[in-house]
Amino acid sequence: MTRVLFVCLGNICRSPMAEGALRHATLAHGLDWTIDSAGTGNWHAGDPPDPRAQAMAAAHGVDITGLRARAVCRHDFERFDLVLAMDHSNLANLRRLAPARPGLILSLALDLVPGRAGESVADPYYGDESGFLRTWRDAEAIARALIQRAHA
Ligand code: 4NP
């Protein structure tokens, strides 16, 4: 059983898109994984994903309208084995919060994607639609890498 948590800042753009892309990919592969997303900030707690993120996911056949933002909590480091940060700032915050636990992997989400190690998923919040497309492509690449990793 793979348990994956994606973490960004607001939990309304990048991590819900990553969650949606991975849910979609695991369903297509018949994999029953536990997948969620959260934010290091809690300003948007209870909010649905940004309408631009919803629209980009929908354009790729993925419904993320039912997701609701929440802040990451200490319990998440027990409930999930892979906690994947969308950028370096999120990762630094997670490292401060996380207890040492054998088996817990904390890393950048793009570290899993060949050729993308060390890269952040750019924050599309203050940009235009092209940024959301870029985020979606990253989310798909991350999902693909996770599925490949499971089959390796
Ligand atoms: P996210 O994008 O971290 O990808 O969800 C953001 C959403 C909201 C804010 C910043 C980033 N904000 O400052 O409200």
Side-chain angles (χ1 to χ4, degrees):
M1 175 53 133
T2 302
R3 308 181 300 170
V4 185
L5 180 71
F6 293 106
V7 180
C8 63
L9 179 58
N11 193 209
I12 56 167
C13 297
R14 292 166 292 175
S15 62
M17 292 169 85
E19 178 183 350
L22 183 60
R23 282 184 185 282
H24 188 74
T26 54
L27 280 175
H29 286 83
L31 298 167
D32 182 22
W33 290 6
T34 297
I35 303 162
D36 199 3
S37 63
T40 56
N42 70 350
W43 316 282
H44 293 282
D47 291 352
D50 185 287
R52 299 164 295 175
Q54 292 186 32
M56 190 55 67
H60 293 86
V62 180
D63 181 2
I64 61 169
T65 59
L67 301 184
R68 294 295 178 267
R70 70 174 180 89
V72 72
C73 66
R74 283 185 67 84
H75 190 50
D76 286 325
F77 301 108
E78 279 128 45
R79 288 203 303 134
F80 297 94
D81 301 305
L82 269 174
V83 178
L84 301 176
M86 307 314 277
D87 67 32
H88 287 272
S89 160
N90 308 148
L91 182 60
N93 284 319
L94 289 172
R95 289 206 194 287
R96 270 195 288 279
L97 294 171
R101 177 172 76 72
L104 172 65
I105 295 175
L106 261 179
S107 78
L108 289 172
L110 282 172
D111 277 352
L112 301 173
V113 178
R116 305 286 305 275
E119 284 186 44
S120 288
V121 176
D123 187 348
Y125 188 66
Y126 295 104
D128 60 16
E129 197 188 327
S130 68
F132 280 83
L133 180 56
R134 206 170 137 200
T135 304
W136 183 259
R137 295 282 176 237
D138 285 348
E140 285 185 330
I142 292 159
R144 243 189 332 268
L146 279 160
I147 301 279
Q148 265 166 15
R149 183 178 177 276
H151 288 147

